[in-house]
Amino acid sequence: MPAVIVGQTDRGRSELSSVISGALHTDRVVLADDALAVTPSIAIGRTPLRDERGLLLNGREIAKPEIFQLYLVRRGCLLVHPKSGRAWVLRDVKCRAAVGPSG
């Protein structure tokens, strides 16, 4: 069942960031304070590479963002990366079933 985060804590935010950065094989990701607290999915775009003048090295960024989805399961909150099929139980995050048109 799609879920959203409730009562986000620094520890939970850190776990979420760590899981997503690990899934994307990057040092860190920047997440909004309300990431997954409003909707059950999040799109993470890669930071485009730029030269010393700030111009994009590849001209324009055409890579699609990576999507992650949050689900409420018996074990708690499950973060899923549909593209890879991988999933992680978030131990420091509390969630509830999402309601409404967005989930």
Side-chain angles (χ1 to χ4, degrees), residues 80-97:
V80 176
H81 183 229
K83 183 177 176 181
S84 68
R86 295 178 65 199
W88 302 263
V89 174
L90 301 174
R91 308 232 180 264
D92 296 321
V93 172
K94 302 266 187 254
C95 63
R96 65 165 172 78

Side-chain angles (χ1 to χ4, degrees), residues 8-18 31-33 92-93:
Q8 183 67 283
T9 64
D10 289 341
R11 191 169 167 168
R13 203 173 290 109
S14 176
E15 179 186 26
L16 183 61
S17 179
S18 177
L31 300 174
D33 287 342
D92 296 321
V93 172

Side-chain angles (χ1 to χ4, degrees), residues 3 6 11 15 17 24 31 35 41 48 54 61 66 68-69 80 102-103:
V6 292
R11 191 169 167 168
E15 179 186 26
S17 179
L24 299 178
L31 300 174
S41 62
E61 188 59 42
E66 297 286 338
F68 289 84
Q69 298 169 326
V80 176
S102 63

Side-chain angles (χ1 to χ4, degrees), residues 4 14 22 25-26 45 54 59 65 69 75 78-79 83 89 91 97-99:
V4 292
S14 176
H25 308 289
T26 187
Q69 298 169 326
R75 298 177 309 214
L78 185 72
L79 186 68
K83 183 177 176 181
V89 174
R91 308 232 180 264
V99 293

Side-chain angles (χ1 to χ4, degrees), residues 46-59:
R46 298 234 182 232
T47 303
L49 298 175
R50 298 180 181 273
D51 66 14
E52 63 278 352
R53 295 175 294 161
L55 300 174
L56 291 173
L57 289 178
N58 296 329

